[in-house]
Amino acid sequence: FQPRQTFDVSPNIPRSFYLGHHHAGLARMRQTLSNIGLIIECRDFRVPLTSWNPLLERSLAAAANPSERARIIVYTHRDLAPSTRAAATAAARLRDFHLAHRHAAAVLFTGAGPSHARATRDLLDAIKHVARARDALTGTRALVVGMPNAGKSTVLNALRRRASTSTSKKVAKVARTGANPGVTRRLSSPVRIVGPEGSEEGDAGVGEGVFLVDTPGVFVPYVSDPERMLKLALVGCVKDGVVPKETLADYLLFRLNLAAAAGAGGCADDGSAYVSRLGMDGPTNDVGEFLEAVARRVGKVAKGGRPNYEAAAEWAVQEWRGGGLGKLLLDEVTPETLAREVEASKEETLSLNQARKREKEARKARKEARRLGISGGE
């Protein structure tokens, strides 16, 4: 079996998910910056480069220096990424790169489950370190930001639960979470995650404590590379239905096959897990065959017993997001790709209309160049 080495992405797929409440939320974040001492930026570890949002980074300028407005970068969903050596190397490269270039005061990786409880504790310790360095009597206000569905509300809830373990109080979830982006549509009220100095859960030097504000996810106004849009849609940063479900299932199949072919050196626990899970004779590059196997296995059939491909595609994507069809790291993390992301982040952020206008002008220029080339040849 030879997996596809490239994926043909239609240039006509949607290239933005920048909604009105994203713009409004970002404007509100800017207005509160004078009172903010810490930015906690969440990025999805399954797409560690693609979920990097330069618009957020520039709009909410922060530094590694805790005495200024500090930044902590949190890579979420570590539990849904592979546990391979390649993924561990990627995590180490990300941490070393950000710290070496002073992008953040700390870089951490979090996930769900007991195995990631220590990560939440480490994040809370890093937040306390920033608060102590600021040494503000009124305490420290922090914003948790990131792309839609990057795990911001989950991080806030985990921090609040962790902070409450030193007291007898039971704390319910303070931020709504959901499988689809857009659950948080406005800035939340500040939630105390570190108690005031002198209290049971407070530390010396934290003043009145640390208060964390949840924010709406903010998408980039335009995604220049259509494959990046597929990656963001696959992990759930884009609302389901914006990108056709069968296209997402086809891209998932493509990446699972590539990971399986990479073997032990690849970035998947087992990219071929779908073969045994669906009772197939072997891997396939044919999305129709893949979705038919899904439909037969999990009962996604229409009247007359015909496979319901759309329902099967929806099931496959959701099952993968939960870790049930193999785990993937969708971005290649190397010194070269990291350097390219930094350079790309310095470029002007285009709106969807600006990008469309430039693409139209570029097409006209190419057409004119071809015309002149033909005329010259004659």
Side-chain angles (χ1 to χ4, degrees), residues 44-368:
D44 192 320
F45 183 61
R46 295 168 296 178
V47 282
L49 305 185
T50 307
S51 60
W52 183 345
N53 189 336
L55 177 63
L56 271 176
E57 200 162 29
R58 286 195 296 269
S59 300
L60 310 175
N65 189 347
S67 64
E68 303 170 7
R69 185 183 304 118
R71 180 187 301 273
I72 294 174
I73 297 176
V74 180
Y75 285 96
T76 61
H77 299 129
R78 181 63 183 90
D79 56 313
L80 296 177
S83 55
T84 59
R85 181 180 299 178
T89 299
R93 283 176 175 163
L94 289 165
R95 180 185 291 110
D96 293 346
F97 181 81
H98 291 309
L99 295 179
H101 289 80
R102 299 184 60 78
H103 295 160
V107 180
L108 299 108
F109 299 81
T110 66
S115 62
H116 290 275
R118 179 176 177 179
T120 302
R121 184 191 67 193
D122 292 344
L123 175 56
L124 192 61
D125 288 344
I127 292 169
K128 290 179 180 179
H129 176 75
V130 169
R132 287 194 297 268
R134 291 180 58 79
D135 196 21
L137 290 176
T138 57
T140 298
R141 263 57 174 179
L143 289 180
V144 55
V145 305
M147 294 278 265
N149 215 24
K152 302 177 299 300
S153 299
T154 300
V155 165
L156 190 156
N157 288 328
L159 286 170
R160 188 69 182 109
R161 285 195 301 269
R162 180 72 198 182
S164 69
T165 56
S166 60
T167 71
S168 58
K169 297 179 181 179
K170 290 186 177 181
V171 178
K173 287 201 305 183
V174 292
R176 293 171 58 214
T177 59
N180 258 315
V183 173
T184 304
R185 301 183 71 88
R186 58 182 62 88
L187 273 65
S188 72
S189 300
V191 175
R192 192 196 298 268
I193 59 169
V194 175
E197 184 175 343
S199 69
E200 188 176 357
E201 59 190 86
D203 283 22
V206 300
E208 288 299 311
V210 178
F211 300 84
L212 192 57
V213 176
D214 195 13
T215 67
V218 176
F219 203 78
V220 290
Y222 177 73
V223 181
S224 58
D225 180 357
E227 186 171 355
R228 291 173 75 97
M229 189 70 179
L230 287 182
K231 292 178 182 180
L232 291 170
L234 185 57
V235 299
C237 289
V238 176
K239 185 178 180 180
D240 289 340
V242 172
V243 176
K245 296 175 182 178
E246 292 180 40
T247 300
L248 278 188
D250 194 15
Y251 184 66
L252 171 61
L253 177 65
F254 163 71
R255 295 304 301 248
L256 288 171
N257 285 335
L258 276 184
C267 292
D269 288 331
D270 183 4
S272 61
Y274 76 88
V275 175
S276 56
R277 178 74 188 278
L278 302 177
M280 299 175 65
D281 294 332
T284 179
N285 287 321
D286 185 340
V287 67
E289 183 180 343
F290 171 65
L291 292 179
E292 185 168 345
V294 169
R296 302 298 183 194
R297 192 70 171 182
V298 300
K300 302 296 181 180
V301 293
K303 289 183 178 180
R306 292 179 290 103
N308 185 330
Y309 291 110
E310 184 175 355
E314 171 72 12
W315 182 91
V317 170
Q318 296 296 341
E319 187 70 7
W320 174 79
R321 287 176 184 168
L325 283 182
K327 299 180 179 182
L328 301 171
L329 195 62
L330 298 174
D331 288 335
E332 184 181 12
V333 181
T334 66
E336 293 75 22
T337 58
L338 285 165
R340 284 200 296 269
E341 288 298 319
V342 170
E343 289 304 309
S345 70
K346 298 176 183 176
E347 298 175 0
E348 178 188 3
T349 300
L350 299 178
S351 69
L352 183 59
N353 287 335
Q354 288 172 327
R356 284 173 173 168
K357 183 177 180 180
R358 288 195 180 185
E359 285 188 350
K360 184 177 180 180
E361 291 171 349
R363 285 196 299 270
K364 289 174 65 176
R366 289 194 296 270
K367 185 177 180 179
E368 181 66 12

Side-chain angles (χ1 to χ4, degrees), residues 10 35 306:
S10 169
N35 297 320
R306 292 179 290 103

